[in-house]
Amino acid sequence: MIKALFFDIDGTLVSFKTHEIPVSTIEALTAAKAKGIHIFISTGRPRVIINNLSALQERNLIDGYITMNGAYCFVEDTVIYKSPIPTAEVDALTAFCHERSIPCILVGEHDICVNQPDEAVEEIFHRQLKVDPIETKPYTDSHADKAFFQLTPFINAEEEAIILPAVPHCEMGRWHPAFADVTAKGNTKQNGIDQIIRHFGIKLEEAMAFGDGGNDISMLRHAGIGVAMGNANDDVKAVADYVTTSVDENGIANALKHFHII
């Protein structure tokens, strides 16, 4: 029996086309919640840029959040798990980006900034993801005075391979070809699920997860049932227990009906 639903945001709950949550999804989650099922967010976004879930938040449908790909999890105002990137590896990665004039987004516990922003940051985060402009801060060679939980360097796969040996205590996940999300080792959406279900006393086999991007693979494999959206990449679909229709074709509602959740 499923007791918890975990949802990625972009491309899963929220359409890349309309930038909104489909009405069918809102209705499906309302029906699931009415049956006593817990609803959780599992996203690469930090809390400070989660700006597209008001349709669910206004209805009090969300019970907790896995953010920054599992590096920071909270329930209401209580942080149940957080794990910063080692300072030396923040320094190494930001220096690598600085030397090559590559944009890098740095996320602290309550704030976000970007070094060396370019048109790609504006295009992807502001125009495509509808995030408010991110504050620009100059590069610094030392980050010892602050904890950072996620870095987002705009590196390609070749650059990722070059920098990887310099950040041995980090995870790299990619849900967009233009950048990678970097967290401390062990911090994935899979870990986020473990933190949440431990807090709520839910068994892993009672959890169902939905996603569409590369950073969702770990949680789709891990959850009792992993559902890939119809708009997901093939590598994501390959690890899922079930592939539903796309976010714009009532994918979440269709999957919840398929499994008799609603």
Side-chain angles (χ1 to χ4, degrees):
M1 180 180 175
I2 296 298
K3 294 183 179 179
L5 303 173
F6 291 83
F7 296 98
D8 169 57
I9 296 178
D10 301 290
T12 300
L13 281 175
V14 176
S15 166
F16 282 121
K17 296 177 182 177
T18 67
H19 306 290
E20 294 181 354
I21 302 172
V23 172
S24 65
T25 298
I26 298 168
E27 292 174 347
L29 268 57
T30 300
K33 182 80 169 182
K35 292 179 67 174
I37 295 171
H38 291 286
I39 295 170
F40 302 105
I41 300 302
S42 184
T43 181
R45 292 190 184 222
R47 185 175 196 167
V48 70
I49 62 168
I50 296 177
N51 62 352
N52 50 4
L53 298 180
S54 59
L56 304 183
Q57 293 163 331
E58 290 165 357
R59 293 168 171 81
N60 295 315
L61 295 179
I62 301 171
D63 294 294
Y65 295 78
I66 298 165
T67 67
M68 299 191 241
N69 292 300
Y72 197 90
C73 306
F74 60 92
V75 176
E76 295 180 344
D77 293 325
T78 302
V79 178
I80 64 170
Y81 176 83
K82 60 181 179 179
S83 175
I85 299 170
T87 297
E89 299 190 19
V90 177
D91 292 344
L93 187 52
T94 54
F96 176 86
C97 292
H98 181 63
E99 290 162 6
R100 292 162 176 78
S101 297
I102 294 169
C104 185
I105 296 172
L106 296 86
V107 187
E109 187 162 11
H110 304 295
D111 62 342
I112 185 171
C113 68
V114 59
N115 295 166
Q116 302 101 224
D118 65 6
E119 176 59 24
V121 177
E122 175 76 8
E123 172 61 29
I124 296 168
F125 276 77
H126 186 48
R127 297 195 193 103
Q128 294 180 17
L129 298 178
K130 302 301 182 184
V131 171
D132 291 336
I134 299 171
E135 180 184 5
T136 300
K137 286 194 175 178
Y139 162 76
T140 174
D141 60 357
S142 175
H143 298 85
D145 62 335
K146 184 175 180 179
F148 290 95
F149 295 87
Q150 183 166 274
L151 303 179
T152 301
F154 278 63
I155 54 176
N156 57 34
E158 183 179 322
E159 291 163 331
E160 182 179 333
I162 295 170
I163 188 59
L164 210 51
V167 288
H169 301 101
C170 285
E171 298 270 356
M172 287 206 184
R174 188 178 288 272
W175 61 273
H176 193 288
F179 58 78
D181 282 335
V182 182
T183 55
K185 200 79 169 178
N187 290 311
T188 62
K189 292 187 178 185
Q190 171 181 331
N191 174 62
I193 286 180
D194 287 341
Q195 300 300 331
I196 291 283
I197 63 174
R198 183 180 299 120
H199 180 81
F200 282 87
I202 297 167
K203 297 175 183 176
L204 186 60
E205 58 266 28
E206 296 170 334
M208 177 185 283
F210 292 74
D212 71 299
N215 61 340
D216 297 318
I217 287 174
S218 70
M219 74 167 179
L220 297 190
R221 280 181 173 150
H222 192 55
I225 299 173
V227 179
M229 305 302 290
N231 47 281
N233 295 330
D234 288 343
D235 58 341
V236 181
K237 292 177 179 177
V239 305
D241 298 296
Y242 181 72
V243 178
T244 187
T245 50
S246 76
V247 59
D248 295 293
E249 297 172 314
N250 309 315
I252 288 175
N254 288 340
L256 293 177
K257 291 172 184 174
H258 173 81
F259 287 101
H260 306 292
I261 307 298
I262 60 173

